[in-house]
Amino acid sequence: MDGNGRWARRRGRPASFGHRAGVRAIKRTLEGCEQLGVDVLSVYAFSTENWTRPRAEVRALMRLFHETMQREIDEMHRRGVRIVVSGRRDGLSSRMRDRIEQAVARTANNTNGVLNVCLNYGGRAELVDAVRRVVHDHLAPQQIDESAIAQRLYVPDLPDPDLIIRTAGESRVSNFLLWQSAYAEMLVTETLWPDFDIEDLKAAIAEFNSRTRRFGGRPEVESPAAGAASR
Ligand code: IPE
Ligand code: MG
């Protein structure tokens, strides 16, 4: 979710104004996912690098997360959404950690979609934490394979993302879901996150549906000759 700051600046307002509009965009997008049959929505809310932002902005963001979780939890739960939070818990205030644990525990058995909030999240930090668990679990070198790592990610039961949408025109991965995004389709849109709406989501899904995913293989036979040669 990028472009909150630019969206606010264009209106002569502080970044926090854009972040508030960004929360409304998350709500719209989650509703869009429910309508369009997308089961898992991951949102990159705060990265391990975002702590370097001005203190006032960090504080405003944390207050916004806390307040939003408190305000929205009842409705999310009523709609059957399971909330999970990916990221390092240490570094967050105990108030925030309690709020997170409450939301996660309360919605744990919901089955009408997943909202994965990546908060104090970094893809590298997630891999470091997974490796720490591997060591903690005393795995022998020959026991360490891809599934040993995948099982130790923050939310191991989530499927890999099919599509990653980056708003506000930046073509960077920015430490998001490094392990899980190995074969994700990437889509960059110029739309600033606070402006992102169901039409943008529909356009993104249409674009996704037009792509051919090969996962490194060669699923289609291109010509009879090539087909004969490979058989
Ligand atoms: C995204 O918007 C905010 C977060 C996810 C923390 P930005 O605040 O990065 O917006 P720009 O890049 O300044 O426009
Ligand atoms: Mg940005």
Side-chain angles (χ1 to χ4, degrees):
M1 302 182 289
D2 205 0
N4 294 355
R6 275 161 278 182
W7 188 89
R9 205 169 325 116
R10 280 178 199 174
R11 288 161 178 77
R13 304 294 297 269
S16 57
F17 183 69
H19 297 319
R20 289 192 176 275
V23 169
R24 295 194 290 276
I26 299 177
K27 285 192 69 174
R28 284 198 298 272
T29 306
L30 186 65
E31 281 165 23
C33 285
E34 197 178 338
Q35 277 176 40
L36 300 170
V38 175
D39 290 329
V40 182
L41 174 67
S42 294
V43 292
Y44 202 178
F46 195 87
S47 75
T48 46
E49 290 74 35
N50 284 149
W51 295 106
T52 62
R53 290 193 176 200
R55 262 196 26 205
E57 186 181 352
V58 170
R59 205 171 313 125
L61 274 168
M62 290 300 155
R63 203 178 310 125
L64 181 62
F65 297 142
H66 192 271
E67 169 192 307
T68 302
M69 261 189 268
Q70 181 165 324
R71 193 184 55 231
E72 302 295 336
I73 180 72
D74 286 339
E75 193 194 327
M76 298 273 177
H77 187 47
R78 190 176 50 72
R79 277 167 43 200
V81 177
R82 176 184 162 211
I83 296 170
V84 294
V85 178
S86 294
R88 282 200 172 143
R89 296 294 194 264
D90 40 295
L92 299 176
S93 71
S94 62
R95 219 166 78 94
M96 181 73 87
R97 287 201 301 261
D98 289 349
R99 176 67 61 229
I100 290 172
E101 294 328 322
Q102 237 176 54
V104 170
R106 185 153 167 226
T107 62
N109 297 317
N110 289 348
T111 54
N112 188 31
V114 179
L115 175 65
N116 175 28
V117 182
C118 299
L119 184 61
N120 195 20
Y121 176 86
R124 288 185 173 182
E126 181 172 35
L127 290 173
V128 168
D129 291 348
V131 170
R132 285 184 180 163
R133 287 177 199 160
V134 163
V135 173
H136 179 267
D137 294 343
H138 302 291
L139 260 64
Q142 61 277 12
Q143 291 176 294
I144 303 172
D145 54 12
E146 290 189 8
S147 94
I149 302 288
Q151 281 164 26
R152 290 170 176 81
L153 298 174
Y154 292 134
V155 191
D157 67 297
L158 290 186
D160 287 344
D162 290 308
L163 172 64
I164 294 182
I165 302 170
R166 170 119 193 191
T167 56
E170 311 288 351
S171 308
R172 279 192 290 278
V173 177
S174 297
N175 207 9
F176 187 55
L177 303 179
L178 294 183
W179 176 278
Q180 299 90 329
S181 66
Y183 284 102
E185 294 294 324
M186 303 288 302
L187 187 140
V188 175
T189 167
E190 293 299 323
T191 304
L192 303 179
W193 175 250
D195 290 326
F196 194 87
D197 64 14
I198 181 122
E199 295 312 317
D200 294 287
L201 182 64
K202 281 183 183 163
I205 292 173
E207 163 70 26
F208 171 82
N209 284 333
S210 77
R211 298 201 189 163
T212 307
R213 304 181 81 193
R214 283 183 275 270
F215 300 95
R218 202 188 303 287
E220 279 155 312
V221 174
E222 276 124 41
S223 69
S230 68
R231 245 182 255 122

